[in-house]
């Protein structure tokens, strides 16, 4: 395994070599080319299907992730809701087949009140991380 430093965008030829020893001679072979591409910063939009939900029901959250040049963004979506110092979260997987759109059913939130909700998308490959905020009222 080889760990490379942060590289600029471009193509880099990769070559593997052996220095040799008193018993074996030097050897070298071209492995291929490493291509570093520019990452894409996505945009996240999140909205509840209803501004308030009863404490006995599950809230539904519509999430849309878009990234220029990427038709099917995929990755982890973490939804965090907070009321005062009380904080909880749930993690969902956004599949490429969903084309960046998903309706998430949150667990029941039993305590009544107003919650600040943060939706964070952690991308994979070329797509980076982004987040959005919204509010939910539990009655």
């Amino acid at each position: 395994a080889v760990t490379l430093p942060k590289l600029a965008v471009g193509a880099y030829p990769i070559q593997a070599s052996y220095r040799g020893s008193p018993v074996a001679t030097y050897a070298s072979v071209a492995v291929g080319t490493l291509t570093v591409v520019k990452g894409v910063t996505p945009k996240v939009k999140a909205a509840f299907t209803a501004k308030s939900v009863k404490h006995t029901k599950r809230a539904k959250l519509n999430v849309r992730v878009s990234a220029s040049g990427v038709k099917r963004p995929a990755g982890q979506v973490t939804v965090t809701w907070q009321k005062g110092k009380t904080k909880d979260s749930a993690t969902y997987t956004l599949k490429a087949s969903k084309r960046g759109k998903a309706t998430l059913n949150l667990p029941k939130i039993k305590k009544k009140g107003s919650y600040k909700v943060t939706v964070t998308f952690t991308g994979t490959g070329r797509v980076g991380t982004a987040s959005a905020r919204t509010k939910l009222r539990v009655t």
Side-chain angles (χ1 to χ4, degrees):
V2 177
T3 302
L4 298 173
K6 186 173 180 179
L7 299 171
V9 174
Y12 299 90
I14 304 295
Q15 185 171 346
S17 60
Y18 174 69
R19 289 185 175 180
S21 69
V23 181
T25 61
Y26 168 84
S28 178
V29 64
V31 176
T33 303
L34 171 67
T35 304
V36 178
V37 296
K38 182 178 179 182
V40 177
T41 302
K43 291 181 183 176
V44 176
K45 292 183 180 179
F48 285 99
T49 56
K51 291 288 182 186
S52 66
V53 66
K54 290 189 176 190
H55 68 281
T56 58
K57 301 287 183 182
R58 296 172 66 165
K60 290 185 180 184
L61 178 67
N62 290 324
V63 177
R64 181 179 177 109
V65 178
S66 61
S68 75
V70 180
K71 290 182 181 179
R72 298 174 180 249
Q76 294 291 322
V77 175
T78 303
V79 181
T80 305
W81 55 94
Q82 182 174 359
K83 176 185 170 191
K85 293 186 178 185
T86 305
K87 190 176 189 180
D88 206 354
S89 65
T91 302
Y92 303 89
T93 300
L94 181 63
K95 296 180 181 179
S97 62
K98 296 293 183 181
R99 297 184 181 263
K101 298 178 189 177
T103 299
L104 310 176
N105 291 315
L106 298 182
K108 290 180 185 176
I109 302 173
K110 301 200 188 251
K111 290 191 177 184
K112 297 177 182 181
S114 182
Y115 289 83
K116 293 178 183 177
V117 180
T118 304
V119 180
T120 305
F121 172 75
T122 306
T124 56
R126 289 184 46 207
V127 182
T129 301
S131 63
R133 292 184 179 185
T134 188
K135 291 183 179 182
L136 175 66
R137 185 148 189 69
V138 177
T139 56

